[in-house]
Amino acid sequence: MVNRAEKARRLAEAVLDPEIPVLTAGDLGIVREVEEDGGRLVVRLTPTYSGCPASEAIRRDVEAALTAGGFVDAVVETCLAPAWTTDWMSEDGKAKLAAYGIAPPARGPVSCPHCGGAAVEELSRFGSTPCKALWRCLGCREPFERFKCL
Amino acid sequence: MADALTAAYALRLGDDALILSHRLSEWVGHGPELEEDIALANTSLDLLGQARLLLACAGEREGKGRDEDALAYGRDVLDFSNLLLVEQPNGDFAQTMVRQFLFDAYAVELWPRLSASRDEALAGVAGKAAKEAAYHVEQSAAWVVRMGDGTEESHARAQSGLNLLWPYAGEIFEADEVEAALAEKGIAVAPSALREHWQARVEPVLEEAGLAPPEGAGVRKGGRQGRHSEHLGHLLAEFQFMQRAYPGAEW
Ligand SMILES: [Zn+2]
């Protein structure tokens, strides 16, 4: 028998990132706390970047998922500390990112998510979302995005 | 609990982020190349996120029921407390990047220290902003070097941007009773304590860029007390237009 908090956590963690729809909130590591607080269920999410528009969309989707799962009284709150880090991304999430064509965050050297080549160069330190930078592979010549280490 | 001093401090930091964010957003669609357009937009977005958190915090501490939108859209020029530096016009790309670098070199020293604030909300915002500022300053410092140490044309533009903006940088380190009282309580970072760290970041970059601060430049200040240059009024006219014309409009 799964308790209420655990059931709610699973619902929240299954919500997809609208901008990188292969990653779940669980993969990103942004569901920080789920607890029963005087009979009410509180889910605390942390934003990836302060101004990331996806944070608000994810928050709404988590509320909707909880409501649909029977948690009509659930409250979704934002917590800022400790600040999110890409170290909280799951290994499964990193593998899904690479398969999706986005180089996952890694402290070491970057490799091409298409051919695995190590000869790559940064084109722009910023990309289509706050969390990504633009790179290209000198081997297969394909451009790709890289999830920035934070 | 209402806390007017912390509210004022959060508002100052929030106004810096908000006004600089708006300035950078003016570049969207006008960047010198696509990658830089995107970089400016991303930096603007980070600053907007910081501004929202700080204004929300200011509104809570003020205790008068004003939320982030009320503070952003419902105040007039005299009520804004941002540094004069961040409201200065974009000028050309060189001027924009010099302004950004002078600010980033301060932000990257402020936020890590403020993340140890005894005010939990401010510490939380600062912890996130520290990571973002570290990324921003790498970008703006690289551009200052690239343009200062670039062609005759880019050097001249970067130097003229520096001449124009340098006098405003001194205001960063000015403190009045707000910062002084809060620094004593371990809530704020005393701006004067940041000066040497800021210099240690700025001087080597300017040297590598072959740029020199103007000699004998005074300090232009007053933004923290609401005495702004004429530029802020024009900025707010655009920024606040929709909420002024249709108060409370949502979409
Ligand atoms: Zn490749």
Side-chain angles (χ1 to χ4, degrees), chain A residues 46-53 56 78 80-81 83-86 122-134 148-150, chain B residues 35-36 38-40 42-43 45-50 52-53 68 120-121 123-125 127-129 131-132 134-136 138-140:
Chain A
T46 195
T48 52
Y49 283 76
S50 304
C52 183
E56 286 198 25
T78 301
L80 296 177
W84 182 77
T85 158
T86 41
E122 187 181 65
L123 291 176
S124 169
R125 301 179 68 256
F126 294 85
S128 59
T129 64
C131 58
K132 289 176 285 174
L134 200 56
K148 300 190 297 209
C149 261
L150 186 74
Chain B
E35 286 77 8
E36 291 320 307
I38 292 169
L40 289 160
N42 269 282
T43 306
L45 191 60
D46 284 344
L47 290 167
L48 184 61
Q50 295 168 14
R52 291 186 58 184
L53 297 168
E68 62 193 64
E120 233 174 75
V125 179
K128 291 208 71 62
K131 295 182 174 210
E132 293 160 2
Y135 207 77
H136 298 165
E138 282 180 29
Q139 171 85 357
S140 56

Side-chain angles (χ1 to χ4, degrees), chain A residues 112 114-117 137 139-141:
Chain A
C112 170
H114 305 299
C115 72
C137 176
C140 73
R141 312 300 296 172

